[in-house]
Amino acid sequence: MKALIDRILKDGKCYPGGILKVDKFINHQMDPNLMKDIAVEFIRRFASTKVNKILTIEASGIAPAIMMGFLMNLPVVFAKKKKPNTLDNMLATKVTSFTKQRDYDVVISRDYLCPDDHVIFIDDFLAYGNAAKGIIDLCKQSGATLEGMGFIIEKAFQDGGQYLREQGVRVESLAIIESLENCEIKIKNA
Amino acid sequence: MKALIDRILKDGKCYPGGILKVDKFINHQMDPNLMKDIAVEFIRRFASTKVNKILTIEASGIAPAIMMGFLMNLPVVFAKKKKPNTLDNMLATKVTSFTKQRDYDVVISRDYLCPDDHVIFIDDFLAYGNAAKGIIDLCKQSGATLEGMGFIIEKAFQDGGQYLREQGVRVESLAIIESLENCEIKIKNA
Protein backbone atom coordinates (compact mmCIF):
# COMPACT_ATOMS: atom_id res chain seq x y z
CA MET A 1 0.00 0.00 0.00
CA LYS A 2 1.93 2.96 -1.34
CA ALA A 3 0.57 5.75 0.87
CA LEU A 4 1.37 3.69 3.96
CA ILE A 5 4.86 2.74 2.79
CA ASP A 6 5.64 6.36 1.95
CA ARG A 7 4.44 7.40 5.37
CA ILE A 8 6.54 4.76 7.14
CA LEU A 9 9.63 5.91 5.23
CA LYS A 10 8.84 9.53 6.07
CA ASP A 11 7.69 9.30 9.70
CA GLY A 12 8.78 5.87 10.99
CA LYS A 13 11.76 5.64 13.32
CA CYS A 14 14.11 2.75 13.90
CA TYR A 15 15.50 1.71 17.26
CA PRO A 16 18.19 -0.88 17.99
CA GLY A 17 16.81 -4.40 18.41
CA GLY A 18 14.52 -4.38 15.38
CA ILE A 19 12.05 -1.88 16.78
CA LEU A 20 10.15 0.33 14.35
CA LYS A 21 8.31 3.23 15.95
CA VAL A 22 5.28 4.53 14.07
CA ASP A 23 3.74 6.46 16.91
CA LYS A 24 3.44 9.67 14.91
CA PHE A 25 0.61 8.23 12.78
CA ILE A 26 -0.43 4.72 13.89
CA ASN A 27 -0.08 3.76 17.51
CA HIS A 28 0.08 6.84 19.72
CA GLN A 29 -0.86 9.76 17.51
CA MET A 30 -3.14 8.41 14.78
CA ASP A 31 -3.93 9.80 11.34
CA PRO A 32 -7.66 9.05 10.91
CA ASN A 33 -7.57 9.48 7.12
CA LEU A 34 -4.72 7.02 6.84
CA MET A 35 -6.73 4.66 9.08
CA LYS A 36 -9.66 4.98 6.67
CA ASP A 37 -7.37 4.28 3.69
CA ILE A 38 -5.93 1.27 5.54
CA ALA A 39 -9.46 -0.02 6.20
CA VAL A 40 -10.36 0.38 2.52
CA GLU A 41 -7.25 -1.57 1.52
CA PHE A 42 -8.10 -4.40 3.95
CA ILE A 43 -11.64 -4.48 2.52
CA ARG A 44 -10.21 -4.75 -1.00
CA ARG A 45 -7.79 -7.52 -0.05
CA PHE A 46 -10.43 -9.54 1.78
CA ALA A 47 -13.09 -8.82 -0.87
CA SER A 48 -13.75 -12.50 -1.56
CA THR A 49 -14.21 -13.34 2.13
CA LYS A 50 -17.56 -13.72 3.85
CA VAL A 51 -17.27 -12.05 7.20
CA ASN A 52 -19.81 -10.94 9.80
CA LYS A 53 -17.53 -9.39 12.40
CA ILE A 54 -14.18 -7.63 12.71
CA LEU A 55 -11.95 -8.78 15.54
CA THR A 56 -9.02 -6.84 16.95
CA ILE A 57 -6.99 -6.44 20.14
CA GLU A 58 -6.52 -3.38 22.29
CA ALA A 59 -5.20 -0.80 21.84
CA SER A 60 -3.61 -0.05 18.45
CA GLY A 61 -5.82 -2.40 16.46
CA ILE A 62 -8.99 -0.56 17.43
CA ALA A 63 -8.69 2.43 15.07
CA PRO A 64 -8.24 0.50 11.79
CA ALA A 65 -10.78 -2.13 12.94
CA ILE A 66 -13.52 0.39 13.78
CA MET A 67 -12.98 2.11 10.40
CA MET A 68 -13.30 -1.23 8.66
CA GLY A 69 -16.41 -2.14 10.67
CA PHE A 70 -17.91 1.26 9.91
CA LEU A 71 -17.32 1.01 6.16
CA MET A 72 -18.60 -2.60 6.05
CA ASN A 73 -21.42 -2.02 8.55
CA LEU A 74 -20.18 -4.82 10.80
CA PRO A 75 -19.69 -5.07 14.56
CA VAL A 76 -16.14 -4.87 15.88
CA VAL A 77 -14.91 -6.76 18.95
CA PHE A 78 -11.65 -6.00 20.67
CA ALA A 79 -9.93 -8.65 22.75
CA LYS A 80 -8.71 -7.28 26.07
CA LYS A 81 -5.30 -7.61 27.62
CA LYS A 82 -5.72 -8.89 31.20
CA LYS A 83 -8.83 -9.89 33.03
CA PRO A 84 -11.32 -7.11 33.72
CA ASN A 85 -13.43 -7.85 36.78
CA THR A 86 -16.73 -7.10 35.02
CA LEU A 87 -16.36 -9.52 32.13
CA ASP A 88 -18.23 -12.79 32.58
CA ASN A 89 -18.36 -15.82 30.44
CA MET A 90 -14.98 -15.28 28.95
CA LEU A 91 -12.38 -17.13 26.97
CA ALA A 92 -8.74 -16.52 27.91
CA THR A 93 -5.31 -17.27 26.48
CA LYS A 94 -1.76 -16.32 27.42
CA VAL A 95 0.38 -14.10 25.17
CA THR A 96 4.01 -12.98 25.36
CA SER A 97 4.70 -9.41 24.29
CA PHE A 98 7.77 -8.73 22.15
CA THR A 99 8.05 -5.01 22.93
CA LYS A 100 7.03 -5.25 26.57
CA GLN A 101 8.95 -8.45 27.41
CA ARG A 102 6.21 -9.91 29.57
CA ASP A 103 3.27 -12.30 29.52
CA TYR A 104 -0.30 -11.13 29.66
CA ASP A 105 -3.75 -12.66 29.38
CA VAL A 106 -5.90 -11.93 26.37
CA VAL A 107 -9.61 -12.36 27.01
CA ILE A 108 -12.79 -12.15 25.03
CA SER A 109 -16.38 -12.80 26.02
CA ARG A 110 -18.09 -15.89 24.61
CA ASP A 111 -21.06 -13.58 24.03
CA TYR A 112 -19.16 -11.76 21.27
CA LEU A 113 -17.14 -14.54 19.67
CA CYS A 114 -19.49 -17.38 18.78
CA PRO A 115 -19.50 -20.59 16.71
CA ASP A 116 -21.47 -18.84 13.93
CA ASP A 117 -18.97 -15.99 13.58
CA HIS A 118 -16.72 -15.58 10.55
CA VAL A 119 -14.12 -13.02 11.54
CA ILE A 120 -11.19 -11.10 10.15
CA PHE A 121 -8.60 -10.15 12.75
CA ILE A 122 -6.94 -6.73 12.34
CA ASP A 123 -3.86 -5.46 14.19
CA ASP A 124 -1.14 -2.87 13.75
CA PHE A 125 1.97 -5.13 13.82
CA LEU A 126 2.87 -8.69 12.94
CA ALA A 127 6.28 -9.52 14.40
CA TYR A 128 6.65 -12.88 16.17
CA GLY A 129 2.90 -13.40 15.87
CA ASN A 130 2.32 -13.93 19.58
CA ALA A 131 -0.89 -11.89 19.77
CA ALA A 132 -2.05 -13.58 16.54
CA LYS A 133 -1.43 -17.03 18.05
CA GLY A 134 -3.51 -16.01 21.05
CA ILE A 135 -6.33 -14.90 18.74
CA ILE A 136 -6.19 -18.22 16.86
CA ASP A 137 -6.51 -20.00 20.20
CA LEU A 138 -9.49 -17.82 21.23
CA CYS A 139 -11.20 -18.49 17.88
CA LYS A 140 -10.66 -22.24 18.33
CA GLN A 141 -12.02 -22.14 21.89
CA SER A 142 -15.09 -20.20 20.74
CA GLY A 143 -15.76 -22.23 17.61
CA ALA A 144 -15.64 -19.09 15.44
CA THR A 145 -14.10 -19.28 11.95
CA LEU A 146 -11.02 -17.13 11.44
CA GLU A 147 -11.24 -16.05 7.78
CA GLY A 148 -8.03 -14.07 7.73
CA MET A 149 -5.66 -11.75 9.53
CA GLY A 150 -4.77 -8.26 8.36
CA PHE A 151 -1.77 -6.33 9.65
CA ILE A 152 -0.79 -2.77 8.91
CA ILE A 153 2.92 -3.63 9.18
CA GLU A 154 4.63 -7.02 9.04
CA LYS A 155 8.25 -7.50 10.03
CA ALA A 156 9.38 -10.18 7.58
CA PHE A 157 12.64 -10.74 9.51
CA GLN A 158 10.69 -12.02 12.50
CA ASP A 159 8.88 -15.31 12.12
CA GLY A 160 5.22 -14.58 12.85
CA GLY A 161 4.17 -14.23 9.21
CA GLN A 162 5.88 -17.48 8.20
CA TYR A 163 4.32 -19.33 11.11
CA LEU A 164 0.79 -18.07 10.38
CA ARG A 165 1.01 -18.86 6.64
CA GLU A 166 2.34 -22.35 7.43
CA GLN A 167 -0.72 -22.85 9.62
CA GLY A 168 -2.89 -22.06 6.59
CA VAL A 169 -4.00 -18.67 7.89
CA ARG A 170 -4.68 -16.10 5.18
CA VAL A 171 -2.42 -13.16 6.05
CA GLU A 172 -2.56 -9.74 4.43
CA SER A 173 0.07 -7.18 5.44
CA LEU A 174 -0.08 -3.69 3.98
CA ALA A 175 3.62 -2.92 4.42
CA ILE A 176 6.25 -5.63 4.80
CA ILE A 177 9.51 -4.58 6.45
CA GLU A 178 12.39 -6.69 5.18
CA SER A 179 15.04 -5.30 7.45
CA LEU A 180 15.75 -2.64 10.04
CA GLU A 181 19.48 -3.33 10.08
CA ASN A 182 21.68 -0.35 10.91
CA CYS A 183 18.45 1.48 11.67
CA GLU A 184 17.58 1.69 7.99
CA ILE A 185 14.01 0.84 7.01
CA LYS A 186 13.93 -1.57 4.05
CA ILE A 187 10.44 -2.28 2.74
CA LYS A 188 9.53 -5.12 0.35
CA ASN A 189 8.74 -3.92 -3.19
CA ALA A 190 9.17 -0.32 -2.16
CA MET B 1 -28.64 11.69 22.82
CA LYS B 2 -31.72 9.61 22.26
CA ALA B 3 -30.29 6.74 20.16
CA LEU B 4 -27.57 6.19 22.78
CA ILE B 5 -30.00 6.32 25.72
CA ASP B 6 -32.35 3.87 24.01
CA ARG B 7 -29.43 1.55 23.37
CA ILE B 8 -28.24 1.72 26.99
CA LEU B 9 -31.75 0.89 28.22
CA LYS B 10 -31.97 -1.99 25.73
CA ASP B 11 -28.47 -3.51 25.94
CA GLY B 12 -26.85 -2.12 29.11
CA LYS B 13 -26.54 -4.36 32.14
CA CYS B 14 -26.31 -3.40 35.79
CA TYR B 15 -24.08 -5.08 38.33
CA PRO B 16 -24.00 -4.55 42.10
CA GLY B 17 -21.71 -1.73 43.20
CA GLY B 18 -22.85 0.84 40.63
CA ILE B 19 -21.36 -0.93 37.63
CA LEU B 20 -23.00 -0.47 34.24
CA LYS B 21 -21.83 -2.88 31.58
CA VAL B 22 -22.15 -1.67 27.99
CA ASP B 23 -19.82 -4.20 26.44
CA LYS B 24 -22.32 -5.28 23.81
CA PHE B 25 -21.97 -1.98 21.90
CA ILE B 26 -19.32 0.32 23.43
CA ASN B 27 -16.39 -1.22 25.22
CA HIS B 28 -15.86 -4.80 24.13
CA GLN B 29 -18.10 -5.32 21.12
CA MET B 30 -18.52 -1.95 19.43
CA ASP B 31 -21.23 -0.70 17.12
CA PRO B 32 -19.35 1.42 14.55
CA ASN B 33 -22.47 3.26 13.37
CA LEU B 34 -23.31 4.22 16.92
CA MET B 35 -19.68 5.38 17.32
CA LYS B 36 -20.11 7.58 14.24
CA ASP B 37 -23.37 9.01 15.63
CA ILE B 38 -21.64 9.64 18.97
CA ALA B 39 -18.81 11.44 17.16
CA VAL B 40 -21.31 13.61 15.27
CA GLU B 41 -23.05 14.51 18.53
CA PHE B 42 -19.71 15.50 20.14
CA ILE B 43 -18.92 17.63 17.08
CA ARG B 44 -22.31 19.35 17.42
CA ARG B 45 -21.87 20.00 21.15
CA PHE B 46 -18.33 21.35 20.75
CA ALA B 47 -19.23 23.29 17.58
CA SER B 48 -18.11 26.63 19.03
CA THR B 49 -14.74 25.28 20.14
CA LYS B 50 -11.51 25.76 18.23
CA VAL B 51 -9.66 22.49 18.36
CA ASN B 52 -6.71 21.06 16.44
CA LYS B 53 -6.44 17.60 17.99
CA ILE B 54 -8.60 14.94 19.63
CA LEU B 55 -7.20 13.38 22.78
CA THR B 56 -8.33 10.08 24.28
CA ILE B 57 -7.09 7.23 26.47
CA GLU B 58 -6.77 3.57 25.63
CA ALA B 59 -8.72 1.46 25.03
CA SER B 60 -12.45 2.31 24.93
CA GLY B 61 -12.00 5.97 24.06
CA ILE B 62 -10.21 5.18 20.80
CA ALA B 63 -13.25 4.24 18.68
CA PRO B 64 -15.32 7.40 19.28
CA ALA B 65 -12.17 9.57 19.14
CA ILE B 66 -10.97 8.20 15.79
CA MET B 67 -14.46 8.69 14.32
CA MET B 68 -14.46 12.27 15.55
CA GLY B 69 -10.95 12.88 14.21
CA PHE B 70 -11.93 11.34 10.88
CA LEU B 71 -15.05 13.49 10.50
CA MET B 72 -13.18 16.66 11.57
CA ASN B 73 -9.97 15.78 9.71
CA LEU B 74 -7.90 16.11 12.89
CA PRO B 75 -5.16 13.94 14.39
CA VAL B 76 -6.09 11.77 17.37
CA VAL B 77 -3.72 10.95 20.22
CA PHE B 78 -4.38 8.24 22.75
CA ALA B 79 -2.76 8.37 26.16
CA LYS B 80 -1.31 5.02 27.18
CA LYS B 81 -1.80 3.16 30.42
CA LYS B 82 1.63 2.15 31.73
CA LYS B 83 5.04 2.91 30.39
CA PRO B 84 5.91 1.35 27.02
CA ASN B 85 9.66 0.89 26.64
CA THR B 86 9.77 2.55 23.22
CA LEU B 87 8.19 5.87 24.16
CA ASP B 88 10.67 8.68 24.71
CA ASN B 89 10.18 12.17 25.81
CA MET B 90 7.04 11.44 27.72
CA LEU B 91 4.80 13.03 30.28
CA ALA B 92 3.37 10.76 32.99
CA THR B 93 0.73 10.91 35.69
CA LYS B 94 -0.77 8.42 38.14
CA VAL B 95 -4.42 7.35 37.90
CA THR B 96 -6.59 5.10 40.10
CA SER B 97 -9.04 2.84 38.27
CA PHE B 98 -12.56 2.51 39.69
CA THR B 99 -13.40 -0.78 37.97
CA LYS B 100 -9.97 -2.35 38.30
CA GLN B 101 -9.20 -1.16 41.85
CA ARG B 102 -5.57 -0.36 41.15
CA ASP B 103 -3.22 2.46 40.24
CA TYR B 104 -1.64 2.78 36.86
CA ASP B 105 0.52 5.29 35.01
CA VAL B 106 -0.93 7.27 32.13
CA VAL B 107 1.68 8.51 29.68
CA ILE B 108 1.75 10.65 26.58
CA SER B 109 4.65 11.80 24.45
CA ARG B 110 5.57 15.49 24.54
CA ASP B 111 5.88 15.18 20.76
CA TYR B 112 2.10 14.78 20.44
CA LEU B 113 0.77 17.03 23.18
CA CYS B 114 2.32 20.47 22.77
CA PRO B 115 1.87 24.01 24.08
CA ASP B 116 0.16 25.05 20.83
CA ASP B 117 -2.45 22.28 21.02
CA HIS B 118 -6.12 22.93 21.71
CA VAL B 119 -7.65 19.57 22.51
CA ILE B 120 -10.95 17.91 23.28
CA PHE B 121 -10.64 14.80 25.42
CA ILE B 122 -13.04 11.93 24.61
CA ASP B 123 -13.69 8.85 26.74
CA ASP B 124 -16.38 6.24 27.23
CA PHE B 125 -17.17 6.75 30.95
CA LEU B 126 -17.07 9.56 33.48
CA ALA B 127 -17.45 8.11 36.98
CA TYR B 128 -15.08 9.42 39.68
CA GLY B 129 -13.15 11.30 37.03
CA ASN B 130 -9.80 9.75 37.83
CA ALA B 131 -8.68 9.29 34.23
CA ALA B 132 -9.96 12.81 33.47
CA LYS B 133 -7.90 14.25 36.34
CA GLY B 134 -4.86 12.49 34.92
CA ILE B 135 -5.54 14.01 31.51
CA ILE B 136 -5.89 17.50 33.04
CA ASP B 137 -2.52 16.98 34.70
CA LEU B 138 -0.92 15.84 31.41
CA CYS B 139 -2.37 18.88 29.60
CA LYS B 140 -0.97 21.17 32.31
CA GLN B 141 2.45 19.52 32.13
CA SER B 142 2.50 19.85 28.34
CA GLY B 143 1.16 23.40 28.17
CA ALA B 144 -1.70 22.30 25.87
CA THR B 145 -5.13 23.92 26.24
CA LEU B 146 -7.91 21.55 27.25
CA GLU B 147 -10.99 22.96 25.49
CA GLY B 148 -13.43 20.39 26.81
CA MET B 149 -14.12 16.81 27.77
CA GLY B 150 -16.73 14.61 26.14
CA PHE B 151 -17.99 11.37 27.67
CA ILE B 152 -20.33 8.84 26.16
CA ILE B 153 -21.78 7.99 29.59
CA GLU B 154 -21.61 9.97 32.84
CA LYS B 155 -22.57 8.45 36.18
CA ALA B 156 -24.11 11.44 37.96
CA PHE B 157 -24.15 9.57 41.29
CA GLN B 158 -20.36 9.48 41.33
CA ASP B 159 -18.55 12.78 41.75
CA GLY B 160 -16.31 13.10 38.68
CA GLY B 161 -18.69 15.33 36.72
CA GLN B 162 -19.23 17.69 39.64
CA TYR B 163 -15.49 17.92 40.26
CA LEU B 164 -14.64 18.67 36.63
CA ARG B 165 -17.38 21.33 36.27
CA GLU B 166 -16.24 22.99 39.52
CA GLN B 167 -12.74 23.17 38.03
CA GLY B 168 -14.20 25.10 35.10
CA VAL B 169 -13.83 22.26 32.62
CA ARG B 170 -16.46 22.17 29.90
CA VAL B 171 -18.01 18.71 30.17
CA GLU B 172 -20.41 17.18 27.65
CA SER B 173 -21.92 13.79 28.47
CA LEU B 174 -24.19 12.13 25.94
CA ALA B 175 -26.07 9.99 28.47
CA ILE B 176 -26.22 10.82 32.16
CA ILE B 177 -27.04 7.94 34.50
CA GLU B 178 -28.80 9.19 37.63
CA SER B 179 -28.95 5.92 39.46
CA LEU B 180 -28.24 2.23 39.15
CA GLU B 181 -29.96 1.37 42.44
CA ASN B 182 -31.53 -2.08 42.62
CA CYS B 183 -29.87 -2.71 39.27
CA GLU B 184 -32.33 -0.43 37.51
CA ILE B 185 -30.90 2.04 35.00
CA LYS B 186 -32.30 5.55 35.55
CA ILE B 187 -31.22 8.08 32.94
CA LYS B 188 -31.59 11.88 33.21
CA ASN B 189 -34.33 13.31 30.99
CA ALA B 190 -35.04 9.93 29.47
Side-chain angles (χ1 to χ4, degrees):
Chain A
M1 183 183 162
K2 187 170 183 312
L4 173 65
I5 289 169
D6 290 348
R7 189 66 174 273
I8 293 168
L9 292 172
K10 178 171 164 266
D11 287 331
K13 281 183 199 164
C14 271
Y15 285 71
I19 291 172
L20 174 65
K21 216 169 89 169
V22 289
D23 66 4
K24 191 169 183 178
F25 55 107
I26 291 179
N27 52 20
H28 185 22
Q29 181 166 266
M30 301 178 289
D31 176 338
N33 273 305
L34 180 67
M35 290 296 170
K36 185 266 293 169
D37 292 344
I38 284 168
V40 168
E41 181 65 14
F42 281 133
I43 292 167
R44 204 182 64 79
R45 295 203 187 192
F46 289 108
S48 62
T49 308
K50 281 209 175 168
V51 55
N52 72 317
K53 194 172 275 183
I54 308 299
L55 185 60
T56 186
I57 184 166
E58 61 180 357
S60 304
I62 294 175
I66 197 84
M67 280 294 171
M68 198 172 164
F70 176 64
L71 295 170
M72 297 178 82
N73 202 20
L74 294 177
V76 178
V77 177
F78 66 91
K80 301 194 179 199
K81 293 173 181 171
K82 119 185 11 146
K83 209 177 277 193
N85 60 8
T86 56
L87 194 64
D88 338 301
N89 194 21
M90 68 187 174
L91 304 164
T93 193
K94 202 162 281 299
V95 167
T96 304
S97 166
F98 165 68
T99 31
K100 295 181 186 166
Q101 302 285 345
R102 60 180 179 82
D103 285 356
Y104 56 92
D105 288 322
V106 172
V107 301
I108 197 163
S109 167
R110 277 184 198 276
D111 294 343
Y112 309 122
L113 191 62
C114 312
D116 288 347
D117 283 332
H118 290 250
V119 303
I120 291 173
F121 172 73
I122 296 295
D123 204 1
D124 57 342
F125 270 98
L126 172 58
Y128 294 107
N130 292 320
K133 287 174 198 170
I135 293 296
I136 292 171
D137 183 39
L138 292 175
C139 286
K140 273 190 191 141
Q141 289 185 51
S142 73
T145 306
L146 179 64
E147 296 287 354
M149 302 186 119
F151 301 93
I152 300 178
I153 298 171
E154 175 177 344
K155 292 172 168 175
F157 57 93
Q158 290 164 351
D159 64 4
Q162 189 187 340
Y163 172 84
L164 294 177
R165 291 178 182 102
E166 281 171 6
Q167 299 296 306
V169 176
R170 175 156 174 206
V171 177
E172 294 287 346
S173 302
L174 306 190
I176 298 179
I177 311 292
E178 291 200 319
S179 154
L180 295 171
E181 273 169 38
N182 305 316
C183 286
E184 190 192 338
I185 304 171
K186 286 196 184 154
I187 303 188
K188 201 173 164 180
N189 298 329
Chain B
M1 183 184 162
K2 189 171 181 312
L4 173 65
I5 290 169
D6 290 348
R7 189 66 174 274
I8 293 168
L9 293 172
K10 178 171 164 267
D11 287 331
K13 281 185 198 164
C14 271
Y15 285 70
I19 291 171
L20 173 65
K21 216 169 91 168
V22 289
D23 65 6
K24 192 170 183 177
F25 56 107
I26 291 179
N27 52 22
H28 186 23
Q29 181 167 266
M30 302 178 289
D31 176 338
N33 273 305
L34 180 67
M35 289 298 169
K36 185 267 293 170
D37 292 345
I38 283 167
V40 169
E41 180 65 14
F42 281 133
I43 292 168
R44 205 181 62 79
R45 295 202 186 194
F46 289 108
S48 62
T49 307
K50 280 210 175 168
V51 55
N52 71 318
K53 193 171 275 184
I54 308 298
L55 184 60
T56 187
I57 184 167
E58 61 179 358
S60 303
I62 293 174
I66 197 85
M67 280 294 172
M68 198 171 165
F70 176 63
L71 295 170
M72 299 177 81
N73 203 19
L74 294 178
V76 178
V77 177
F78 67 91
K80 302 195 177 197
K81 293 173 180 170
K82 127 187 3 153
K83 209 178 277 194
N85 60 7
T86 56
L87 194 64
D88 336 301
N89 194 18
M90 68 186 175
L91 304 163
T93 192
K94 204 162 277 302
V95 166
T96 304
S97 166
F98 166 67
T99 32
K100 295 180 188 170
Q101 303 285 345
R102 60 180 179 81
D103 286 355
Y104 56 92
D105 287 322
V106 172
V107 301
I108 197 162
S109 167
R110 278 184 197 275
D111 294 342
Y112 309 121
L113 191 62
C114 311
D116 287 346
D117 283 331
H118 290 249
V119 303
I120 292 174
F121 172 73
I122 297 295
D123 204 2
D124 58 340
F125 270 98
L126 172 58
Y128 294 107
N130 292 321
K133 287 173 198 171
I135 293 296
I136 291 171
D137 182 38
L138 292 176
C139 286
K140 274 189 189 140
Q141 289 185 52
S142 72
T145 306
L146 179 64
E147 295 288 352
M149 302 185 119
F151 301 93
I152 300 177
I153 298 173
E154 176 178 344
K155 293 171 167 176
F157 57 92
Q158 290 164 350
D159 64 4
Q162 189 187 339
Y163 172 84
L164 294 178
R165 290 178 183 100
E166 281 172 5
Q167 300 295 308
V169 176
R170 174 156 176 207
V171 177
E172 294 286 346
S173 301
L174 306 190
I176 298 178
I177 311 292
E178 290 199 319
S179 154
L180 294 171
E181 273 170 37
N182 305 317
C183 286
E184 190 193 338
I185 304 172
K186 287 196 183 155
I187 303 189
K188 199 172 166 182
N189 297 329

